[in-house]
Amino acid sequence: MANFPPSDGSTDGHEPRDGSERQASGVEQSDLELVRRVQRGERGAFDLLVLRYQHKVVKLVARLLRDQAEAEDVAQEAFVKAYRAIGSFRGDSAFYTWLYRIAVNTARNSMASRQRRPLDYESDLNESEQSAVESRMRHGDTPEAAALSDEIHRTVNGAIEALPEDLRTAIILREVEGLSYEEIAEAMECPVGTVRSRIFRAREAIDRSLKPLLD
Amino acid sequence: MTDQIREQMSALLDGELAPGELGLLVRRMERDAALRRAFGNYVLAGESLRAPGCIIASPGFAARVSAALDAGGAVPATAPAELARPAPRWKRPLAGLAVAAGAALAAVVLVRPGTDGGSLVAQQAAPVTMAVVSMPGGASPTPAQTQRLAGYLVAHGQYASAIGRRNAWSNALAADPGINRVVYEASEKR
Amino acid sequence: MGRLSVIVAAGALVLAAPLAGADPPTARQWLERMTESLASLDYDGLFIHSAGSQFETMRIVHRVEDGRSVERLVSLDGSGREIVRTAEEVHFYMPDRRVVLVERRTDPGSLLKALPAPGAKLDALYTLELRKGRRLLGRDVQVVDVRPRDAYRYGYRLWLDEASAMPLRSEVLNGAARTVESIHFTRLDLGKAVDPRALQPGVDATGFQWVRAGRRAEPPVAGAGWMPRRVPPGFRLVASRSQPVPGTPVRMQHLIFSDGFASVSVFIEPAPPKGPAPPESASVGSANAYSTQVQGHMVTAVGEVPPETVREIANSVAPLEGGTPAASAAATPVDR
C-alpha cells in the first residue's frame, strides 16, 4: 500500500497473522519500553532505536529522494526530529509507524526546499523498477561506499551459508518469516531457550565475519 | 558473562527479552561501544537476509546520529503521562485504522480534482501572475518564524468559518509547515 | 475499512428538515446545514490532513457545552502539537518548542451573526453546484462544489454525509483546479456523547513557556484606525479587536474580513526593533500570509485565500485621514 510501512518479514504487528486477535508484537512492546525510557531521560535507549531502524529509514528516504548521497543526511535529520518530538509519542501506533511518517515528511520537506518533485507514490514503481532504481542509486554512490555495501552483503550471505543447519533455519525463520521464538520452537520442535540460543549463535557468527570488514 | 549480555541483546532485537532485563542491558550498551557495534551487526544481518543487496546505512551512520544529538543539545519534550500499555490489537483503534488510513490516503493522493465527475475550474478574471523567486539556499523558516505564523493562524482561526478554522489550525499543527518562502520581485508595483 | 457511527436519537441531530413536498435542498442549503452541524454536534474523528507534499494524521474532538463549542485538535504524527479551545481560552501546545500560546477566547455571542456563514450574497462571489459522490466511510455523500468567480479566492469541494451534513472530506482548490489542501476523515464518531476527558490536552506542559495575553490597563493600540484601502470584492469587515502581541504589553489591531465563506485577518503591530525587513510571505496549505512594513508598523494579512489576495490587502493598509477609526470613503464600505 503506497506510503505505508511495508511488511518486511519482521512482525511490526500491523496485521494479525492468523486473523485471531493477539497482543502487540514483542518488538512493538520492546520499542514502547525503550521509548518510555527515552522519555524519562535515558538517551541510550534512543541510540538503540536508531541502531534498530537505521537501515529501514535510510532505505526509505533513499527511495523517496532517489539519491542515496543525501539520504543519510536526511535520515539523520529524521531521527533527530523524532528524538525532539519523542515526548509527544503516546503509543497509539507502533513506534516504527510514527518514525516512518516523520521520515517521509522529512524527506518530502527536503525535496520541496530543493524544489524537486518527490516520488509521490511508492506504487509508482513496480518491483523490478524499484530494484533497478535502487541498484542505480547504489552505484551512483561513491565507488568505495558501493563496494563496501556489496561486500557487506556478500559477507553476510557467506556467513549464513556456512552456518550449521539448525542455526541457519532458526535465524531465517526469525528474520525472514517473522516468527516469534515460540512459533519457531514449535516449528523446529525444540524448547524456546534453544531457539533463543541458536539465533544468538547465528548472529555471533555473522558478527565475527563482519568485524574485519567494519572495524 | 559477556556472552550472556550479548545473548540478551539478540533477544532484545527480537522483542523477546524478559521485562526486567531491559534496564540493565540498555545501560550496559550505553557504556560499551563494542556491544553497540555488535547489536548493529545483528540488525544488519536481518536486513541483509531479508533483502540481499538492499540499501543499508553506512557503518558510521548510527554514531553520526548520536553525535548530532549530543551536539545539538536536543532535549526531548517532557515525558507525558505514562504511556498506555499496548493493549490487544482489537482494543487499539488506531492499529486497525492503519489499513483504513492507508486506503484513505491512497484515495487522497491519487484522486485529482475533477475525476469525481466533472472538472472544477474557477471562472476567473485575468489571473494575477506571481513572480516566484525562491530564497537563496532554500532556507527553512526559523522556529521563531514558525511560532509567529502559528500564532497568527490560531488567532485567525477563531474568526474563520468552521472549515476555515479546521484548515488554519491543522496547518498550525503541521510538524514542518513546509513554509515556502516566496519573495516577490522588488519591481512589483503596489 | 473506516466507519461512521451515527446514532440518530430524537433531536440529537439538529437539522433544518425540509418540508414534505418541498424542493430538494440547494447547494447553499447544504452548506448551511454543514455549518450548523459542525457547530452543534458532538463528534470525535480522525482525519488525514494533507497540504503540498505533506500529510499528517490528526484527531478532532468537538463538544457543545452550555451552548458553546469546545474542541481539541491534535497532531498524531511528529510534532505532537495540539490546540484546545475551552470555554474561556484557546491553548496552542507546541511540545517541539516547549511553548504554549494562550489566547483569550472572544465571546462568540456578539459575533455569531458576523462570522462567515453562507448567505444570500454568496452567489455573487461563488458558483455553487451539487454533484453525486462515491460513498465515504460507508455513507452516502452529497458533494458540493464551491467555485470562486475570481482569482481572489480559493475553491472548495466538500463531501457531506447525507444524513448529518458533516464534511467527511474537503479539499481546497486553487485557480488551476489543483488541490492545495485536503482533509479526509478515516473515522468519525457522531452522536455519541463525547467524554470530556477527550478534550484534555495530551501534552504535559510543565516546564513549558506559557505565552499568555495579559489583561491589564489598556495601553495605546498599535494601528488603531488603520484600514486596508483595497479589499477584494465582497470582503467586508466583520470584526475588529485589539489583542496583546503575545509576550509583550503592546496591543495590536486585529481586523477580520470575510466574504461569507473565506476570511482574512489583518494584524497591525509595532514594527520589530531591528529595522525594515523586506516583505515576506508564507504559505502553508491553503493559508497564506503576507507581512510588510508601513510607517513603523508591521502589517500582516493571513487567510485561507491565494497569496495575491493577502499581499494586496496588506499592501493597501494605511492610516486613515486624521487617524480616527472612522470608515473612509476610499475603502470598500464596511459593516461594523
Side-chain angles (χ1 to χ4, degrees):
Chain A
M1 181 63 66
N3 294 324
F4 207 76
S7 161
D8 56 0
S10 62
T11 317
D12 281 337
H14 293 303
E15 326 248 349
R17 294 186 68 82
D18 54 1
S20 65
E21 310 301 353
R22 60 185 245 158
Q23 291 281 334
S25 75
V27 170
E28 268 187 44
Q29 283 187 324
S30 120
D31 280 355
L32 274 180
E33 183 54 44
L34 286 170
V35 170
R36 234 186 236 127
R37 287 173 179 278
V38 179
Q39 289 172 337
R40 291 204 292 262
E42 290 183 44
R43 234 297 288 289
F46 190 78
D47 288 338
L48 285 198
L49 290 166
V50 173
L51 281 169
R52 175 179 272 163
Y53 290 116
Q54 56 180 322
H55 306 295
K56 287 190 162 87
V57 172
V58 167
K59 179 162 43 171
L60 165 67
V61 169
R63 275 156 76 179
L64 288 173
L65 297 185
R66 287 183 280 195
D67 176 347
Q68 193 174 350
E70 307 174 51
E72 291 206 358
D73 286 339
V74 174
Q76 178 177 311
E77 200 186 320
F79 277 113
V80 171
K81 282 205 176 129
Y83 181 72
R84 289 207 185 106
I86 201 83
S88 70
F89 176 72
R90 282 179 273 280
D92 292 327
S93 65
F95 171 75
Y96 180 57
T97 307
W98 183 78
L99 175 64
Y100 180 98
R101 240 196 297 270
I102 292 178
V104 168
N105 279 335
T106 308
R108 283 168 187 233
N109 270 345
S110 144
M111 303 227 52
S113 74
R114 288 166 179 73
Q115 288 163 321
R116 291 214 300 261
R117 192 187 84 80
L119 183 61
D120 280 322
Y121 330 121
E122 289 171 35
S123 61
D124 266 0
L125 299 176
N126 61 34
E127 282 294 322
S128 60
E129 284 170 329
Q130 260 173 356
S131 50
V133 169
E134 284 179 26
S135 80
R136 264 203 311 277
M137 280 194 285
R138 257 204 342 275
H139 296 127
D141 231 358
T142 68
E144 294 81 14
L148 179 61
S149 164
D150 283 346
E151 183 137 12
I152 288 174
H153 284 298
R154 270 202 304 275
T155 305
V156 172
N157 196 54
I160 289 177
E161 292 297 307
L163 286 174
E165 186 168 339
D166 55 348
L167 301 196
R168 185 169 67 242
T169 305
I171 194 170
I172 287 177
L173 287 181
R174 173 62 210 134
E175 292 284 17
V176 180
E177 298 297 326
L179 301 185
S180 70
Y181 284 7
E182 234 182 78
E183 287 166 333
I184 297 173
E186 227 182 273
M188 296 183 75
E189 292 175 334
C190 64
V192 167
T194 304
V195 171
R196 173 168 154 150
S197 162
R198 284 176 180 172
I199 292 176
F200 166 58
R201 284 183 286 142
R203 285 177 173 147
E204 281 285 279
I206 297 170
D207 175 52
R208 278 195 298 275
S209 354
L210 283 174
K211 265 168 94 122
L213 201 53
L214 298 178
D215 277 355
Chain B
M1 185 56 186
T2 321
D3 251 21
Q4 191 186 23
I5 294 281
R6 291 169 75 104
E7 189 179 314
Q8 283 181 350
M9 269 188 347
S10 170
L12 167 64
L13 183 55
D14 298 326
E16 302 263 1
L17 199 61
E21 297 179 312
L22 182 60
L24 192 58
L25 181 59
V26 170
R27 281 194 289 281
R28 284 293 298 270
M29 290 178 70
E30 200 168 357
R31 292 199 303 265
D32 189 336
L35 284 181
R36 292 198 297 276
R37 263 200 310 276
F39 187 74
N41 285 343
Y42 296 172
V43 171
L44 194 47
E47 297 292 334
S48 183
L49 259 173
R50 279 187 290 276
C54 69
I55 292 170
I56 51 177
S58 61
F61 178 79
R64 281 200 297 278
V65 173
S66 194
L69 292 178
D70 290 333
V75 178
T78 330
E82 189 66 19
L83 279 180
R85 283 178 58 81
R89 186 150 318 287
W90 56 271
K91 276 189 187 152
R92 288 171 51 199
L94 277 183
L97 193 71
V99 175
L105 182 60
V108 168
V109 297
L110 288 176
V111 172
R112 292 278 177 244
T115 60
D116 210 5
S119 62
L120 186 75
V121 176
Q123 304 148 33
Q124 46 188 311
V128 177
T129 53
M130 184 170 72
V132 174
V133 177
S134 59
M135 285 291 288
S140 301
T142 65
Q145 287 170 329
T146 304
Q147 188 174 318
R148 182 171 145 248
L149 179 63
Y152 287 142
L153 288 173
V154 173
H156 169 71
Q158 283 213 66
Y159 295 87
S161 67
I163 294 274
R165 171 168 54 254
R166 179 172 301 176
N167 286 342
W169 285 3
S170 295
N171 287 314
L173 293 189
D176 264 303
I179 293 179
N180 307 307
R181 300 194 63 191
V182 174
V183 177
Y184 290 95
E185 289 175 355
S187 60
E188 290 283 339
K189 53 188 193 306
R190 292 181 48 125
Chain C
M1 220 171 263
R3 63 187 194 283
L4 172 67
S5 33
V6 179
I7 300 172
V8 185
L13 295 181
V14 180
L15 294 174
L19 298 170
D23 294 323
T26 64
R28 181 147 53 77
Q29 285 171 325
W30 274 105
L31 291 182
E32 285 166 358
R33 290 182 171 187
M34 177 193 79
T35 305
E36 176 93 44
S37 293
L38 283 167
S40 62
L41 297 180
D42 288 3
Y43 49 89
D44 185 343
L46 292 167
F47 61 90
I48 295 184
H49 172 256
S50 121
S53 56
Q54 272 205 285
F55 57 90
E56 265 188 66
T57 313
M58 301 193 181
R59 179 183 181 197
I60 181 159
V61 185
H62 178 270
R63 224 171 96 91
V64 178
E65 285 175 8
D66 300 324
R68 247 187 223 224
S69 283
V70 293
E71 60 191 335
R72 175 170 168 246
L73 189 61
V74 192
S75 160
L76 295 174
D77 300 333
S79 77
R81 296 180 190 163
E82 26 186 308
I83 294 181
V84 180
R85 182 157 80 138
T86 66
E88 301 297 320
E89 292 182 327
V90 179
H91 294 182
F92 180 30
Y93 296 85
M94 301 177 81
D96 47 328
R97 308 250 317 124
R98 299 172 66 80
V99 163
V100 185
L101 300 181
V102 181
E103 280 230 340
R104 263 190 55 236
R105 178 174 174 172
T106 325
D107 180 2
S110 56
L111 293 173
L112 194 56
K113 280 181 297 205
L115 287 177
K121 300 209 178 104
L122 210 57
D123 293 328
L125 306 168
Y126 299 88
T127 54
L128 305 177
E129 251 185 65
L130 292 175
R131 294 187 186 287
K132 280 303 294 166
R134 282 198 295 269
R135 287 162 67 86
L136 285 176
L137 293 178
R139 308 290 298 176
D140 290 321
V141 297
Q142 178 65 59
V143 178
V144 181
D145 277 347
V146 180
R147 306 185 202 172
R149 293 187 189 271
D150 63 27
Y152 290 111
R153 286 151 250 271
Y154 280 135
Y156 290 77
R157 174 166 279 181
L158 304 160
W159 285 254
L160 306 182
D161 169 38
E162 282 194 356
S164 64
M166 285 289 288
L168 303 181
R169 179 176 167 189
S170 61
E171 290 189 357
V172 183
L173 303 151
N174 68 10
R178 302 195 70 92
T179 304
V180 169
E181 179 170 356
S182 98
I183 280 181
H184 191 136
F185 276 84
T186 56
R187 195 182 93 183
L188 186 60
D189 295 333
L190 278 181
K192 289 190 289 222
V194 165
D195 186 342
R197 285 173 300 180
L199 290 150
Q200 295 301 309
V203 178
D204 175 4
T206 40
F208 281 23
Q209 180 194 7
W210 287 72
V211 180
R212 191 183 274 278
R215 296 155 134 297
R216 305 221 169 89
E218 307 279 307
V221 182
W226 290 40
M227 266 305 147
R229 299 304 181 121
R230 290 193 311 276
V231 290
F235 277 91
R236 303 172 318 156
L237 183 72
V238 295
S240 156
R241 62 171 188 163
S242 72
Q243 69 169 57
V245 177
T248 77
V250 182
R251 302 184 79 83
M252 67 172 160
Q253 189 75 350
H254 177 193
L255 309 170
I256 299 100
F257 295 83
S258 169
D259 69 0
F261 200 75
S263 53
V264 177
S265 285
V266 179
F267 300 94
I268 304 157
E269 54 193 304
K274 254 182 314 204
E280 177 189 312
S281 74
S283 175
V284 42
S286 60
N288 286 286
Y290 187 83
S291 282
T292 186
Q293 299 232 339
V294 181
Q295 294 182 28
H297 289 73
M298 186 160 72
V299 174
T300 306
V302 180
E304 60 269 15
V305 289
E308 302 77 29
T309 309
V310 287
R311 179 170 64 116
E312 286 198 27
I313 293 177
N315 278 338
S316 80
V317 170
L320 290 170
E321 318 292 304
T324 55
S328 155
T332 313
V334 297
D335 299 336
R336 283 190 192 265

